[in-house]
Amino acid sequence: MKRLTLYQRLKPEVIAGLECVGNQPYHCSVNNILDLLKSEQYYSDLTIEDVKNIIVFSGVNPVTIPDFTYGNFLFKNNEWRG
């Protein structure tokens, strides 16, 4: 089985936040983030800068340190494979 991309595992509120900003002056940055999420399968492949940009543009924030460390605030639980 092929592993889902990070984009496919994103929570709906994260996608909505990114798509909302995608029509504004920062659309190039948001498109780069979306392309990155569509190409990667592992949260650990993202840089801190990538995660910071996702937080800034989606408006979704980590609540705890493990949220940030493991990306729990961004992704649906238990949806690792398609």
Side-chain angles (χ1 to χ4, degrees), residues 1 3 13 17-18 23 26 29 52 68 78-79 81-82:
M1 270 184 160
R3 187 172 176 87
E13 59 268 24
L18 291 171
N23 296 324
Y26 304 105
S29 297
K52 179 194 71 99
F68 184 81
N78 301 323
E79 293 193 19
R81 301 188 184 276

Side-chain angles (χ1 to χ4, degrees), residues 27-47:
H27 70 278
C28 288
S29 297
V30 173
N31 287 341
N32 288 340
I33 292 167
L34 291 172
D35 289 343
L36 175 67
L37 292 169
K38 289 175 183 177
S39 68
E40 297 295 342
Q41 297 176 343
Y42 298 96
Y43 181 71
S44 60
D45 291 336
L46 301 177
T47 65

